[in-house]
Amino acid sequence: MHVCVLGGGVVGVTTAYYLAREGWRVTVIEQHPQLGLETSFANGGQLSYSYVAPLAGPSVPGNLPQWLLSRTAPLRFQPGLSLAQWGWCAAFLFNCTTARSRRTTIELLQLGAYSRDVMHDLMQVEQLDFAFRPSGKLVVYRNRHDFDGARRQTEFQARFGAQHTALDAASCIDTEPALDSLRHKLAGGIYTASEETGDCYLFTRELARVAAEKYGVEFVCGTSVRGLRREGNEIVAAHTSQGEIAADAYVVALGNDSAALVRPLGIRLPIYPLKGYSLTMPVGEHHVAPQVSVTDLHHKVVYARLGQHLRVAGMVDMTPAGSREDEARIRLLTSQAQATMPNGGDFSSVRAWTGFRPATPDSKPLLGATPLANLWLNTGQGSLGFTLAGASAALVTDAIRGRAGKLDLRPYQLANRSAVRELAAVAHSSPS
Ligand SMILES: Cc1cc2nc3c(=O)[nH]c(=O)nc-3n(C[C@H](O)[C@H](O)[C@H](O)COP(=O)(O)OP(=O)(O)OC[C@H]3O[C@@H](n4cnc5c(N)ncnc54)[C@H](O)[C@@H]3O)c2cc1C
């Protein structure tokens, strides 16, 4: 059996690794000269298995005016003329009811918990050097209303196995002294010991190294996939910039480019790129960088210590690529980080990055079968691609092998997401 994985980000590489462990021949096709250079490059570094609540929630409709008007809101929506944007938004709003949001939270908690198991198994079996830390996570709140809401949410999540501890402001600072500048601004925080951090780019590169050395996975970089050649109900070859590559099965793991590749086959994927930003700065001996992974909920910004660097990430923007606002958003993120952790790292040497989350309207990835017999999906992980890569890869491998996985794949399959598909379908009747 020869499987061709399309895309060499964290999702594609993790999939390739698990497929190769089955004893199959695996080829990964990646357009860039190296792996992991798109969305997996400089993300927030969070392995936040218990913080998986979907973006679509009951508070969203009330917040929409602020997102439309405010330039400093953590979420920005700049409506354009693109049908893709409007179709995706309609499907997103459809998912904002309390019932749908809760059901998705439960499904993503299960996927997150399984991903933790898969990652731990992986780290036991392989030597991977990716600045991993069993850091724990502290989410801090600046107002009582948000903090009380978070406590209720943690009580709800505790029923599904997520273990959290509510802390008062002083205990937050004791847990993470890097937050000292917020001492008089915090209402409290939620600490979760089980959360972890790591460098997603290094993880991708390390896992690819192991997959090649130990299991013979072939990485064909600098080669872009231009289309899939279909005969009957099957794909017979991937048409690439270097000619055709034939295999027995194909896994689409192209992140934001997944929808465009399969659209000519009549398969509509509701994926839209949601922009975010990150900062990476060196940490010296005199800095007080966080040991615990921190989320400042007021600004929706995450902080993770990755080796000798501090990574700060945040914002969800539905604005055009290369938008003139990007620089202003990076300046805003920098000033928020400086106000929150003034001595957290060397702010004079910040490397800024912009990335696009391959997001579905219900925040669940698209995993498993397509209408074509040998074409499989592992894409649409949105804000959680690093966190969910392990479970997604293991479950898709099980599906291709034809054996039952540890979790029911149905909630994540394209075929069972009809409402999301149909509302978003309008988006894909046009290539814009
Ligand atoms: C600001 C920000 C912060 C984030 N923070 C976190 C976090 O803390 N924790 C977390 O779990 N997730 C986080 N995410 C989300 C996470 O980064 C993504 O979900 C994840 O990287 C997606 O991985 P992927 O492999 O699907 O996509 P990608 O990494 O984009 O990989 C897809 C690959 O396919 C290749 N490709 C595309 N088209 C073609 C083609 N035609 N031919 C060949 N190759 C092609 C691309 O070059 C790319 O390498 C964050 C995202 C952003 C933007």
Side-chain angles (χ1 to χ4, degrees), residues 31-339:
Q31 65 185 355
H32 291 303
Q34 288 176 21
L35 303 163
L37 293 180
E38 287 281 333
T39 314
S40 303
F41 184 62
N43 68 21
Q46 314 280 312
L47 290 161
S48 64
Y49 312 108
S50 314
Y51 284 87
V52 292
L55 198 56
S59 64
V60 165
N63 280 323
L64 266 180
Q66 191 204 359
W67 298 352
L68 279 163
L69 299 172
S70 166
R71 287 179 179 274
T72 56
L75 290 93
R76 281 278 288 142
F77 172 51
Q78 217 178 50
L81 292 176
S82 141
L83 267 178
Q85 199 182 48
W86 285 104
W88 192 93
C89 288
F92 176 75
L93 287 173
F94 174 83
N95 280 286
C96 285
T97 63
T98 304
R100 285 200 184 86
S101 166
R102 285 207 155 185
R103 196 178 58 214
T104 303
T105 303
I106 295 165
E107 288 163 349
L108 286 174
L109 277 174
Q110 288 167 341
L111 200 59
Y114 180 41
S115 221
R116 182 194 290 117
D117 293 346
V118 173
M119 280 296 272
H120 287 184
D121 165 69
L122 186 54
M123 285 188 289
Q124 229 169 18
V125 175
E126 311 295 358
Q127 290 291 317
L128 302 171
D129 187 3
F130 65 103
F132 170 80
R133 287 165 78 93
S135 55
K137 184 181 184 72
L138 178 61
V139 183
V140 292
Y141 298 83
R142 299 187 189 210
N143 73 60
R144 173 66 44 193
H145 176 263
D146 288 348
F147 182 42
D148 290 344
R151 282 160 68 160
R152 283 194 298 276
Q153 175 73 8
T154 56
E155 282 158 20
F156 167 70
Q157 293 204 358
R159 286 193 257 149
F160 305 95
Q163 297 301 319
H164 307 282
T165 312
L167 302 177
D168 61 18
S171 307
C172 288
I173 311 298
D174 290 346
T175 304
E176 183 41 77
L179 287 170
D180 195 46
S181 71
L182 298 186
R183 184 175 285 278
H184 303 295
K185 294 185 182 152
L186 293 183
I190 305 287
Y191 178 70
T192 312
S194 57
E195 306 300 83
E196 300 168 341
T197 48
D199 186 323
C200 180
Y201 170 67
L202 290 183
F203 174 81
T204 306
R205 299 288 301 269
E206 278 285 276
L207 191 59
R209 175 186 59 74
V210 169
E213 286 173 7
K214 203 163 157 185
Y215 297 102
V217 172
E218 186 191 4
F219 291 94
V220 182
C221 291
T223 300
S224 80
V225 184
R226 293 180 173 158
L228 295 171
R229 189 151 66 80
R230 171 187 185 168
E231 277 178 18
N233 196 34
E234 280 195 351
I235 300 300
V236 290
H239 175 53
T240 79
S241 51
Q242 307 293 325
E244 290 206 332
I245 297 179
D248 302 301
Y250 303 80
V251 181
V252 179
L254 295 173
N256 289 300
D257 293 328
S258 303
L261 184 79
V262 300
R263 190 187 300 132
L265 303 165
I267 301 171
R268 289 163 175 174
L269 304 184
I271 294 177
Y272 195 86
L274 293 182
K275 197 190 292 180
Y277 310 86
S278 78
L279 312 171
T280 306
M281 66 196 89
V283 171
E285 274 174 19
H286 56 290
H287 291 120
V288 185
Q291 302 293 330
V292 172
S293 150
V294 171
T295 299
D296 175 2
L297 200 92
H298 180 70
H299 294 306
K300 296 197 168 32
V301 172
V302 297
Y303 297 81
R305 174 84 181 254
L306 302 176
Q308 290 310 307
H309 290 89
L310 174 63
R311 173 74 46 79
V312 182
M315 299 179 177
V316 178
D317 288 359
M318 196 177 236
T319 55
S323 154
R324 273 181 301 165
E325 273 193 26
D326 290 4
E327 274 186 31
R329 298 295 271 166
I330 286 166
R331 275 199 303 278
L332 178 64
L333 183 61
T334 309
S335 68
Q336 289 171 342
Q338 244 167 336

